[in-house]
Amino acid sequence: MSVLDQISQPRDLRALSEDELTRLAAEIRDLMIRTVATNSGHLGPNLGVVELTLAIHRVFDSPRDKIVFDTGHQSYVHKLVTGRAGDFGTLRREGGLSGYPSQAESEHDIVENSHASTALSYADGLAKAYAVRGEDRHTVAVIGDGALTGGMAWEALNNIAIQHDSRLVIVVNDNGRSYTPTIGGLATALTSLRTNPRYETVLDIVRRRLNAVPGVGAAAYDALHAMKKGLKDALAPQGLFEDLGLKYVGPVDGHDRGAMEQALSQAKRFGGPVIVHAITRKGFGYDPAERHEADQFHAPGPFDVQTGAEKPKGRIWTDHFADHVVRIGERRPDVVAITAAMMHPVGLDRFQERFPERTFDVGIAEQHAATSAAGLALGGLHPVFAVYATFLNRAFDQVLMDVALHKCGVTFVLDRSGVTGDDGASHNGMWDMSILQVVPGLRLAAPRDVTRMRELLDEAVEVADAPTVVRFPKGPPPEDVEAVGTAGGCDVLVREGERDVLVVSVGAMAPVAVDVASRLVAQGIGVTVVDPRWVKPVDPALVELARTHRRVVTIEDNGVVGGVGAVLLQTLAEAGVHTPVRLHGIPQEFLDHAKRAAILDRIGLSAASIALQAVHDVTAEPAPEGRSLLDVDGTR
């Protein structure tokens, strides 16, 4: 029987011997490696927090004491020691364990966060709540040095520091990386803590030598106590935190479980907020991950356990963007690139290699990135800010008031737009086409294929007096869908039969829209499929097309509320066009994790579902004089 099989709840860890704890750590690493090799997921971050997580659960009493993991992707070890080891093989599979904390899975998960830099604010609120309620409980926030580059984390620290009786322990998991090496002044400061001699060692040497001098031992000790702050700042400048009023413990070797337990126990006994600075290595204990220079196996696809070699995979949308933005940079010396700590994931690493002086990684700071982009534009450059669609939500105010208000020519490239699948609710990029609709002057493009992505990027960077947005989904792009004609600025993809149904296809939903058309034509229903390319503002040609068709169907990989279809419906009403419109989009709910195709099918964004509804709508109204239409079951 393995040691892990004996762990059904965290308090079981306290009964284990040192040898059993060592074996447990090895078993956890082995299980995580084998599972992620098949299911994909976040491996490197979790390999780095095995001993740290075991120490937290041996010192604190979860679920009474609350543990909040920043970004949440470093919670696999936590899942394994809180009763979920038996289900770990279902990780990130439909109906299985989430890749992040989940309230539905366990009472040990309180926050389902997977957007960075939020844990300290959650923890601050939790600790205040327990203090107000008079409850003897601790809150532990585990935050990486990468997440500390986010401004929200420092807003929280500013408030935590004045809560002198807050029973809050902040564990800084310092591995020097987010996806890639952590960028910025904070990273430099933490590096100095990581690399300088620990002041406790120097204090001990000085203490022993002074006390050895006869007659001055007590006086020497008092003087040494007065010198303590100065020695701290000189030899391990944790004044970064202590100047805020936060007690600091560390640096501690995060892979030395005993040392971590000692540091956490010391922090637990202190009556106010404490920072425990743990030094870890991403990918620790698995040689292929430790040697993987790009990101220490941060989030690999399926791979060979023995060699670490990832299984071959085709080119995805990001790869095509990465190539084309370099071509843009070669012909446009004013184009610069910005990323928020995700150089490789958003495909800007190739631009960085070609134009290092024109590439800026601002850390996990999307708000700052957007306003900095505005400054770059005001300074005569054209910034391209590439970011996951779900993370642009965090910078909405900056897009609205700092970029658009000042008519800055900034291009936002939204990777992983629409349904992303395995990462769950927090990563679906299903909000952007709704929230950006309210931004005056902003132009939004949704390419249906790689050729259109290149064309629309070229057009976007030519706009110098307004923000532009180009969005595309996760995964491999479809084959190019060629147009059979144009209408205004729209591409006509299908034109068959009478003008019964106008299908407005948004972006990557084009293959679905074309499939819908073929199903309608087979039922004797005429159909026109158009791709607006630029979906904001509404192309006037769509208004005239809607006026001449019996029905309009919109299909988009975005929330149905306030999206492209909803705005088109409003535009038609304002123009006095009363053609019935059926909107197809993502329901406004937080979607459980599953493969993208499975989710699209479940929410009705499949060709079969959309065509069935369209046939029902068309045949439910009288046919034009002289024509008959097939019913949904194929009978006249």
Side-chain angles (χ1 to χ4, degrees):
M1 185 178 186
S2 71
V3 181
L4 184 56
D5 288 338
Q6 303 173 41
I7 307 301
S8 61
Q9 54 186 335
R11 57 176 56 102
D12 294 338
L13 295 170
R14 297 171 198 161
L16 299 181
S17 66
E18 288 295 317
D19 179 65
E20 287 173 322
L21 287 165
T22 301
R23 286 164 47 203
L24 176 62
E27 290 173 8
I28 287 173
R29 284 194 168 90
D30 179 66
L31 179 56
M32 291 194 301
I33 292 166
R34 287 187 288 106
T35 302
V36 175
T38 301
N39 297 15
S40 76
H42 292 91
L43 183 58
N46 287 286
L47 291 173
V49 298
V50 175
E51 289 80 11
L52 187 155
T53 306
L54 294 179
I56 289 172
H57 277 297
R58 278 170 56 85
V59 171
F60 295 94
D61 184 24
S62 179
R64 178 170 180 78
D65 295 330
K66 297 302 180 184
I67 303 170
V68 183
F69 290 90
D70 203 282
T71 70
H73 65 232
Q74 56 185 325
S75 64
Y76 290 6
V77 185
H78 166 78
K79 287 176 181 274
L80 289 171
V81 299
T82 53
R84 287 168 274 184
D87 295 324
F88 199 67
T90 68
L91 181 73
R92 291 165 52 86
R93 292 180 176 172
E94 186 172 8
L97 293 183
S98 167
Y100 298 91
S102 170
Q103 291 179 346
E105 288 179 12
S106 173
E107 62 179 341
H108 297 277
D109 295 358
I110 186 169
V111 173
E112 304 189 8
N113 64 315
S114 53
H115 284 198
S117 311
T118 61
L120 299 186
S121 297
Y122 280 119
D124 175 50
L126 283 165
K128 287 174 179 173
Y130 298 144
V132 170
R133 292 164 61 92
E135 298 181 17
D136 182 18
R137 308 165 81 168
H138 280 85
T139 304
V140 181
V142 183
I143 183 168
D145 58 304
L148 277 176
T149 62
M152 187 173 171
W154 290 91
E155 293 175 24
L157 283 172
N158 183 53
N159 280 270
I160 290 168
I162 61 174
Q163 302 298 318
H164 301 299
D165 58 350
S166 178
R167 308 193 71 179
L168 171 56
V169 175
I170 300 167
V171 179
V172 176
N173 173 30
D174 180 7
N175 58 26
R177 306 179 74 91
S178 45
Y179 271 85
T180 49
T182 306
I183 300 295
L186 172 66
T188 302
L190 287 176
T191 297
S192 69
L193 290 177
R194 195 184 305 123
T195 56
N196 278 325
R198 290 177 61 191
Y199 77 91
E200 291 94 339
T201 302
V202 178
L203 282 176
D204 183 62
I205 294 171
V206 175
R207 181 184 293 113
R208 284 188 283 106
R209 290 185 179 179
L210 288 177
N211 283 335
V213 179
V216 296
Y221 180 80
D222 290 342
L224 182 65
H225 188 72
M227 293 164 53
K228 182 178 179 182
K229 181 65 168 72
L231 280 167
K232 279 186 177 183
D233 288 342
L235 298 170
Q238 58 266 45
L240 178 72
F241 299 114
E242 288 197 336
D243 286 349
L244 284 173
L246 294 165
K247 182 70 175 177
Y248 174 93
V249 177
V252 185
D253 181 353
H255 302 300
D256 183 336
R257 184 193 42 74
M260 279 303 310
E261 288 187 26
Q262 183 178 11
L264 290 168
S265 296
Q266 179 183 349
K268 185 178 180 180
R269 289 192 296 269
F270 187 67
V274 184
I275 285 181
V276 178
H277 184 188
I279 309 300
T280 64
R281 295 208 308 274
K282 199 171 177 179
F284 183 77
Y286 182 46
D287 189 58
E290 293 195 57
R291 289 188 290 103
H292 192 262
E293 181 58 30
D295 64 5
Q296 268 69 62
F297 271 29
H298 179 87
F303 62 91
D304 181 88
V305 171
Q306 298 303 316
T307 65
E310 291 193 60
K311 306 284 177 68
K313 56 185 179 183
R315 284 165 61 80
I316 61 175
W317 282 92
T318 311
D319 295 317
H320 295 282
F321 161 71
D323 290 340
H324 196 65
V325 75
V326 170
R327 287 193 284 270
I328 291 173
E330 288 170 344
R331 70 171 186 266
R332 286 278 301 271
D334 63 322
V335 168
V336 296
I338 301 176
T339 178
M342 301 185 76
M343 193 75 71
H344 288 83
V346 298
L348 287 180
D349 52 310
R350 299 174 203 175
F351 192 93
Q352 181 190 42
E353 291 170 7
R354 182 71 177 80
F355 309 107
E357 75 287 353
R358 290 160 53 188
T359 308
F360 306 100
D361 185 344
V362 302
I364 302 177
E366 292 85 0
Q367 292 172 292
H368 165 64
T371 304
S372 179
L376 286 162
L378 291 170
L381 301 176
H382 191 104
V384 175
F385 175 23
V387 60
Y388 281 10
T390 183
F391 297 141
L392 186 71
N393 301 354
R394 314 180 78 179
F396 172 73
D397 182 67
Q398 287 68 35
V399 173
L400 178 67
M401 292 297 178
D402 301 340
V403 181
L405 176 64
H406 295 90
K407 297 181 172 59
C408 294
V410 176
T411 296
F412 296 90
V413 175
L414 306 189
D415 199 333
R416 271 72 164 177
S417 67
V419 171
T420 56
D422 297 335
D423 280 323
S426 63
H427 274 55
N428 289 317
M430 57 179 280
W431 321 100
D432 58 289
M433 289 199 295
S434 296
I435 63 176
L436 294 175
Q437 291 289 350
V438 304
V439 179
L442 181 142
R443 298 183 62 192
L444 196 160
R448 65 181 180 269
D449 53 36
V450 168
T451 296
R452 259 44 65 175
M453 181 187 72
R454 297 183 186 122
E455 294 173 354
L456 291 166
L457 276 170
D458 289 342
E459 294 175 27
V461 297
E462 293 298 324
V463 178
D465 60 353
T468 53
V469 177
V470 179
R471 77 188 304 262
F472 50 80
K474 180 180 180 180
E479 293 294 323
D480 280 3
V481 181
E482 298 299 338
V484 298
T486 60
C490 303
D491 283 346
V492 178
L493 307 184
V494 177
R495 186 185 286 122
E496 294 283 349
E498 303 290 333
R499 294 194 170 198
D500 293 320
V501 178
L502 172 67
V503 177
V504 180
S505 169
V506 177
M509 299 307 292
V512 173
V514 171
D515 191 356
V516 168
S518 67
R519 293 168 185 263
L520 296 182
V521 170
Q523 294 289 321
I525 298 172
V527 62
T528 305
V529 178
V530 293
D531 170 15
R533 299 173 76 252
W534 289 96
V535 297
K536 180 185 180 328
V538 175
D539 193 316
L542 287 177
V543 176
E544 296 310 309
L545 285 168
R547 194 189 303 275
T548 59
H549 283 73
R550 295 174 59 202
R551 301 197 71 87
V552 177
V553 172
T554 65
I555 308 174
E556 61 188 297
D557 191 7
N558 181 79
V560 72
V561 175
V564 175
V567 173
L568 176 59
L569 179 59
Q570 179 181 349
T571 303
L572 295 178
E574 292 172 352
V577 177
H578 303 296
T579 306
V581 180
R582 174 74 68 176
L583 310 182
H584 293 277
I586 302 171
Q588 302 302 148
E589 61 187 56
F590 296 111
L591 304 173
D592 291 335
H593 62 279
K595 294 298 182 186
R596 172 178 162 88
I599 293 175
L600 292 177
D601 185 64
R602 175 164 57 81
I603 63 178
L605 283 180
S606 66
S609 178
I610 295 170
L612 185 65
Q613 182 65 63
V615 171
H616 180 273
D617 289 344
V618 170
T619 56
E621 64 183 52
E625 186 176 349
R627 293 184 55 203
S628 61
L629 296 171
L630 295 178
D631 203 342
V632 66
D633 62 359
T635 62
R636 289 190 181 274

